[in-house]
């Protein structure tokens, strides 16, 4: 078997294997105490807030171009913020005062919510999902802590989310900026989703799709055409002979890339068999994450401080992975495509790396 990938799917698999091995080695050679993890998560949280803020400004000012950093960095924002919130009860148990840090975390969380929501509406859904999952896990692993997810707060979060979408729609109408309009995105989905579903359902098979069902007709290979891929710069940088379909790919795959859940995009490009294997892997990652978290909790409750940093990092990684999975598989597959796919693989690796711990 050739080690050099011959299509998009092989490249994704080989890249994922390398990332999982690299992260496993990295996490087991770094001294992941809770102070180091907390410091890094705070620094990254501030950095992501600034990046999202700059991108939001670029979006609102017509003379500047924006980059939609929410796709690659959105799940990482969940990772670092939930990790930081997990550290707070640990600091409380150690006798440290954390009131100033709590205020900083509130500001970071609010900043990411506002700036990320302005840049991309779908990010808000994933962000709220990630925080809900994260705070739910925190309430389970710190049983003496009062749960943040009270019915009143959940209702307030839903109301706030609706208010943010309403504000964005108001700004879109006042500033004549359709790009930030949630209703515009809904209209586009309504106009394209049914036809996209029909195309995918009628032409997906066990190994991929019918070659004549794509926009490039006979040029299609029937599998790994690039609907789901790592960033195209990865392919061009290494000069790999994969189908890219420049121009056509950008303008025509929109109906599959933007408007379909990932289960349809993955199934269409790679076939039902690969889709089933990916879903099995996702379930394994979640089960492993929860099992290891329970192990860390037991060690902490017995008085061990050895795994505090790993426990916080795993809580953030698992929360981000679950949120990105829900949004990417069941709402819009762009969240787990391209640069988002790189982040998704990294999160999977950050969860699975905890199955191995070295003795020091």
């Amino acid at each position: 078997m050739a080690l050099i990938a011959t299509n998009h799917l092989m490249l994704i698999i080989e890249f994922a294997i390398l990332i999982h091995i690299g992260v496993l080695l990295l996490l087991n050679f770094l001294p992941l105490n809770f102070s180091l993890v907390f410091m890094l998560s705070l620094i990254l949280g501030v950095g992501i807030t600034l990046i999202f803020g700059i991108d939001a400004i670029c979006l609102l000012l017509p003379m500047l171009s924006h980059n939609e950093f929410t796709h690659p960095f959105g799940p990482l924002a969940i990772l670092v913020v939930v990790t930081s919130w997990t550290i707070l009860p640990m600091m409380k148990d150690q006798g440290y005062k954390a009131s100033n840090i709590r205020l900083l975390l509130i500001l970071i969380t609010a900043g990411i919510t506002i700036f990320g929501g302005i840049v991309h509406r779908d990010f808000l859904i994933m962000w709220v999902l990630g925080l809900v999952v994260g705070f739910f896990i925190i309430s389970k692993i710190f049983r003496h802590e009062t749960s943040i997810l009270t019915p009143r707060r959940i209702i307030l979060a839903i109301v706030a989310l609706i208010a943010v979408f309403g504000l964005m729609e108001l700004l879109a109408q006042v500033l004549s900026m359709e790009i930030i309009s949630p209703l515009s995105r809904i209209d586009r989905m309504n106009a394209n989703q049914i036809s996209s579903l029909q195309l995918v359902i009628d032409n997906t098979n066990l190994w991929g799709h019918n070659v004549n069902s794509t926009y490039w007709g006979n040029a299609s290979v029937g599998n790994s055409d690039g609907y789901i891929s790592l960033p195209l710069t990865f392919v061009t940088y290494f000069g790999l002979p994969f189908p890219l379909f420049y121009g056509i790919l950008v303008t025509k795959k929109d109906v599959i890339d933007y408007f379909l859940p990932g289960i349809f995009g993955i199934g269409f490009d790679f076939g039902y068999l690969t889709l089933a294997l990916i879903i099995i892997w996702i379930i394994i990652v979640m089960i492993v994450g929860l099992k290891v978290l329970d192990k860390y909790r037991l060690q902490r409750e017995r008085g061990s401080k050895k795994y505090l940093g790993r426990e916080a990092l795993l809580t953030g990684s698992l929360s981000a992975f679950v949120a990105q999975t829900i949004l990417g598989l069941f709402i819009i597959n762009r969240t787990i495509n391209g640069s988002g796919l790189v982040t998704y693989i990294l999160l999977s690796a950050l969860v699975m790396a905890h199955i191995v711990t070295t003795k020091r």
Side-chain angles (χ1 to χ4, degrees), residues 211-275:
V211 293
N212 291 322
S213 63
T214 64
Y215 288 101
W216 31 91
N218 292 330
S220 168
V221 294
N223 182 286
S224 298
D225 270 339
Y227 285 104
I228 304 294
S229 67
L230 293 172
L232 298 185
T233 52
F234 283 27
V235 179
T236 56
Y237 180 78
F238 293 105
L240 299 172
F242 302 166
L244 297 177
F245 303 108
Y246 276 113
I248 296 177
L249 188 67
V250 173
T251 59
K252 295 299 185 182
K253 88 166 186 173
D254 192 72
V255 294
I256 293 177
D257 183 26
Y258 278 58
F259 301 115
L260 286 185
I263 54 173
F264 295 104
I266 293 170
F268 182 78
D269 208 17
F270 304 134
Y272 289 124
L273 180 61
T274 300
L275 174 62

Side-chain angles (χ1 to χ4, degrees), residues 97-112:
K97 293 183 178 180
S99 56
N100 291 335
I101 296 175
R102 181 182 292 273
L103 176 60
L104 176 60
L105 274 180
I106 291 173
L107 292 175
I108 291 173
T109 305
I112 291 176

Side-chain angles (χ1 to χ4, degrees), residues 7 13 29 67 83 106 136 138 141 153 156 164 167 180 193 203 232 236-237 239 248 266 271 277 281 299 302 307 332:
N7 59 44
I13 293 173
F29 281 102
N67 296 276
T83 298
I106 291 173
F136 177 78
I138 292 171
I141 62 177
R153 287 173 177 170
L156 286 175
V164 170
L167 179 60
I180 64 173
Q193 212 163 44
N203 293 283
L232 298 185
T236 56
Y237 180 78
I248 296 177
I266 293 170
L277 293 175
W281 175 255
Q299 292 293 326
R302 291 170 182 168
Y307 299 111
I332 176 173

